[in-house]
Amino acid sequence: MPIDQTLPFLPVNIAVLTVSDTRSLAEDRSGDTLVDRLLEAGHRLAQRQILRDDTDAIVARLHAWIEDEAIDCIITTGGTGVTGRDVTPEAVERVADKMIPGFGELFRWLSFQTIGTSTVQSRACACVARGTYIFALPGSTGAVKDGWDGILKDQLDSRHRPCNFVELMPRLLER
């Protein structure tokens, strides 16, 4: 899809949350990959944190970031699988005003090109919560690359045509 170079690029303030019971910041390759890509695209890293797979803790962090006017968008990595400890989609649903089902559908279609039918195990999802976008990606670096390179890089670029998430930001709280 085309980028309209005649339009200004509007950087987005993005918070990155890694959900993992086993990773520290030093071992967070998927979080590093995501941060590198968003900075390379010209966006700003608003905050970054790692939390264990705990629904209440994830919900609390999401609420705090949603209320932070310096954060436009939250991207999580990890916790989207089907095991008992994978609770990120449940946390996202608890804070959501509107789910964005097409995000997960498109993510799985793109991921299928890379990992085949194993993509069915992903519960990647997205929503709008009180004017803030939340995108939940799986925890592998490959999944982060699929999600960023295949969807978010363009949809978070204000110059992307025919439309993008950024141009909708001023209208997310309309009633």
Side-chain angles (χ1 to χ4, degrees):
M1 292 294 156
I3 298 295
D4 184 343
Q5 297 292 345
T6 66
L7 296 173
F9 176 79
L10 303 174
V12 176
N13 297 318
I14 302 172
V16 173
L17 176 63
T18 298
V19 178
S20 175
D21 285 339
T22 59
R23 293 183 198 164
S24 68
L25 198 56
E27 300 142 347
D28 184 19
R29 290 188 359 211
S30 59
D32 290 342
T33 298
L34 185 54
V35 168
D36 289 346
R37 277 172 157 67
L38 72 88
L39 292 174
E40 181 180 307
H43 299 295
R44 294 184 280 259
L45 178 64
Q47 290 193 38
R48 181 175 179 187
Q49 187 171 354
I50 297 178
L51 286 177
R52 298 181 62 76
D53 294 272
D54 177 288
T55 309
D56 292 335
I58 297 167
V59 167
R61 171 52 43 212
L62 293 176
H63 277 306
W65 282 351
I66 291 163
E67 294 303 319
D68 186 336
E69 291 184 13
I71 296 174
D72 304 311
C73 174
I74 301 164
I75 305 175
T76 72
T77 175
T80 63
V82 297
T83 72
R85 297 288 300 152
D86 293 319
V87 296
T88 303
E90 288 76 15
V92 168
E93 289 171 5
R94 280 179 47 187
V95 302
D97 295 325
K98 290 185 179 184
M99 296 303 294
I100 307 172
F103 177 82
E105 295 161 2
L106 180 55
F107 173 83
R108 283 180 284 281
W109 179 80
L110 291 168
S111 179
F112 179 77
Q113 315 302 313
T114 308
I115 65 170
T117 59
S118 295
T119 194
V120 76
Q121 295 179 27
S122 167
R123 297 185 303 139
C125 62
C127 76
V128 176
R130 295 186 313 280
T132 301
Y133 288 112
I134 302 174
F135 304 99
L137 297 170
S140 72
T141 56
V144 166
K145 290 174 185 176
D146 287 345
W148 181 266
D149 297 346
I151 306 171
L152 294 174
K153 178 183 71 164
D154 289 333
Q155 281 298 298
L156 293 177
D157 189 325
S158 56
R159 304 164 300 168
H160 182 264
R161 293 291 161 250
C163 57
N164 60 76
F165 285 132
V166 179
E167 66 191 3
L168 298 176
M169 285 180 175
R171 299 178 50 212
L172 292 177
L173 294 174
E174 286 180 342
R175 293 281 175 218

